[in-house]
């Protein structure tokens, strides 16, 4: 089939899926974990034009901690640390994908590029004023109480939380669209994108971390993605997650999602942004959206795994 006519598949990879539960996030662990989604994405690139976005929650929090361990070197704001994780994780994804395309014999005519991306945020959004985004390692309650910064109890344990404004637009959307139309595999919007606000004719960075699922949904609408897969460290969205009566959902309509959210099934900062991202993508014309585990991306694309979100 003619390259330009193939559907566009966007896979959003969870930062938490690169550093799994119980791991400390050594480089070997992260490269090994990446192999699982990347080998599937390489195979899918035969049938789809591909965009890969990725989170950075654990990685950006680790960087923040690392720089706080040293007083001799000036500390950098979050916007710079997000840029650093785009470089680091972009490199990891790009090199893993490059080897995998080569191994699978589909490297010919498959250029790939990793793009530093800015995302304009809404300074007035509630997430900019309230800290909703968990980053970095998981702490015990005892340890969390002694830390010098705000933490919140998440499903994984206590984690540092930072401001997380709503994404408004992806600054490089036209460039990304052009690259996709030329059949480049594009890695972009890492860590939700570098958060910026407009100041006259230029941009200024802000001290926050955007949720990558929400940024991915914006990007998906802006470049006309057909299929949106959110790949994370659980098999999909569940009711009563983490409780004995936990039940993973295979299908979820926007109406049901709203009701379950009101009943408290989908927390802010983890599952809720994924559901909001899927619904907003479908509402703006996207064809299919699913939340799945990084090991079941191909099955979710085929409609055999994960939670498929629909408008009705
Ligand atoms: P990612 O880095 O992939 O975005 P997140 O930690 O942000 O990962 O979101 C995935 C996490 O959401 C899961 O590991 C799980 O702990 C949590 N979670 C909270 N509520 C639910 C739910 N209802 N169903 C499934 N997972 C949930
Ligand atoms: Mg997340």
């Amino acid at each position: 089939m003619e390259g330009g006519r193939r559907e566009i598949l966007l896979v959003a990879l969870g930062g938490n899926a690169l550093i799994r539960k119980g791991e400390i996030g050594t480089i070997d662990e992260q490269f090994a974990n990446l192999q699982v989604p990347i080998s599937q994405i390489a195979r899918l690139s035969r049938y789809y034009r591909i965009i890969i976005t990725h989170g950075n929650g654990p990685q950006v929090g680790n960087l923040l901690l690392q720089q706080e361990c040293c007083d001799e070197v000036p500390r950098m704001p979050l916007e710079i640390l997000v840029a650093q994780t785009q470089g680091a994780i972009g490199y990891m994804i790009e090199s893993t994908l490059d080897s995998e395309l080569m191994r699978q014999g589909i490297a010919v005519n498959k250029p790939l590029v990793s793009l530093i991306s800015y995302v304009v945020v809404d300074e007035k959004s509630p997430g900019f004023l309230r800290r909703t985004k968990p980053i970095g390692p998981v702490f015990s309650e005892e340890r969390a109480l002694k830390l010098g910064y705000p933490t919140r109890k998440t499903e994984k344990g206590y984690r540092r939380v930072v401001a997380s404004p709503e994404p408004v637009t992806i600054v490089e959307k036209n460039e990304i669209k052009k690259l996709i139309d030329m059949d480049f595999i594009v890695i972009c919007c890492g860590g939700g994108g570098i958060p910026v606000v407009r100041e006259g004719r230029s941009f200024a960075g802000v001290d926050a971390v955007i949720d990558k699922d929400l940024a991915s949904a914006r990007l998906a609408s802006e470049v006309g993605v057909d299929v949106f897969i959110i790949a994370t460290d659980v098999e999909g969205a569940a009711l009563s997650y983490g409780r004995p009566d936990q039940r993973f959902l295979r299908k979820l309509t926007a109406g049901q999602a709203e009701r379950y959210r009101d009943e408290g099934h989908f927390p802010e900062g983890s599952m809720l942004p994924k559901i909001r991202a899927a619904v907003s993508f479908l509402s703006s014309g996207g064809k299919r959206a699913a939340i799945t585990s990084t090991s079941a991306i191909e099955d979710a694309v085929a409609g055999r795994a994960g939670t498929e979100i629909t408008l009705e």
Side-chain angles (χ1 to χ4, degrees):
M1 202 191 295
E2 178 53 42
R5 291 212 315 273
R6 286 177 301 139
E7 288 195 321
I8 304 176
L9 167 66
L10 189 160
V11 181
L13 291 178
N16 286 292
L18 301 189
I19 302 179
R20 295 197 181 145
K21 209 169 156 61
E23 293 179 347
I24 55 166
T26 65
I27 196 64
D28 290 339
E29 285 169 346
Q30 296 193 61
F31 267 118
N33 292 336
L34 253 187
Q35 197 62 45
V36 175
I38 294 301
S39 59
Q40 299 173 72
I41 293 172
R43 278 189 294 274
L44 287 163
S45 74
R46 289 181 187 268
Y47 312 106
Y48 291 91
R49 287 178 282 162
I50 305 273
I51 301 178
I52 302 171
T53 61
H54 63 84
N56 71 349
Q59 295 83 357
V60 78
N62 289 358
L63 266 183
L64 194 56
L65 260 185
Q66 223 168 29
Q67 67 165 0
E68 284 163 355
C69 296
C70 165
D71 289 326
E72 281 76 33
V73 180
R75 292 185 186 175
M76 295 293 141
L78 271 176
E79 124 224 14
I80 300 296
L81 301 187
V82 171
Q84 281 181 248
T85 62
Q86 284 193 351
I89 304 173
Y91 153 67
M92 290 164 63
I93 293 176
E94 193 172 329
S95 58
T96 306
L97 184 55
D98 205 22
S99 313
E100 196 54 35
L101 289 169
M102 206 81 86
R103 201 185 63 77
Q104 294 183 20
I106 40 183
V108 184
N109 295 329
K110 226 12 124 192
L112 55 146
V113 67
S114 178
L115 207 72
I116 292 290
S117 332
Y118 300 173
V119 173
V120 176
V121 297
D122 177 4
E123 274 181 297
K124 298 197 181 68
S125 55
F128 201 34
L129 309 170
R130 273 185 318 123
R131 296 166 190 262
T132 53
K133 169 92 184 154
I135 61 166
V138 175
F139 299 107
S140 66
E141 180 172 11
E142 193 192 359
R143 180 85 198 284
L145 289 172
K146 292 191 192 124
L147 296 170
Y149 41 76
T151 57
R152 176 164 75 76
K153 188 174 184 209
T154 72
E155 308 74 47
K156 298 181 207 290
Y158 284 80
R159 292 178 79 187
R160 185 175 203 162
V161 277
V162 294
S164 191
E166 292 284 314
V168 176
T169 187
I170 316 303
V171 175
E172 297 82 1
K173 56 182 174 288
N174 295 329
E175 288 82 351
I176 295 168
K177 183 79 176 85
K178 281 204 174 108
L179 289 165
I180 281 296
D181 288 341
M182 290 193 293
D183 212 20
F184 273 73
I185 297 177
V186 185
I187 303 156
C188 58
C189 289
I194 301 168
V196 297
V197 291
R198 281 187 210 278
E199 277 186 3
R201 289 176 65 87
S202 57
F203 297 111
V206 296
D207 205 32
V209 179
I210 306 169
D211 189 280
K212 67 103 179 37
D213 297 311
L214 300 177
S216 302
R218 284 308 311 145
L219 172 70
S221 309
E222 292 186 329
V223 307
V225 165
D226 299 287
V227 183
F228 180 23
I229 300 290
I230 300 176
T232 184
D233 58 357
V234 285
E235 65 180 76
L239 296 184
S240 306
Y241 180 76
R243 296 208 294 265
D245 57 336
Q246 159 181 309
R247 181 165 67 86
F248 278 99
L249 302 164
R250 282 286 286 117
K251 296 224 175 318
L252 179 65
T253 67
Q256 288 170 331
E258 218 168 286
R259 204 174 69 237
Y260 295 147
R261 177 205 62 200
D262 292 344
E263 292 170 8
H265 291 284
F266 306 139
E268 256 184 296
S270 60
M271 193 41 69
L272 186 58
K274 297 186 194 304
I275 308 242
R276 281 183 54 212
V279 171
S280 120
F281 164 70
L282 295 169
S283 308
S284 63
K287 290 186 194 150
R288 287 187 50 217
I291 300 166
T292 190
S293 85
T294 44
S295 54
I297 295 173
E298 283 174 300
D299 282 344
V301 170
R304 288 193 300 263
T307 304
E308 173 118 20
I309 321 281
T310 52
L311 288 180
E312 298 188 350

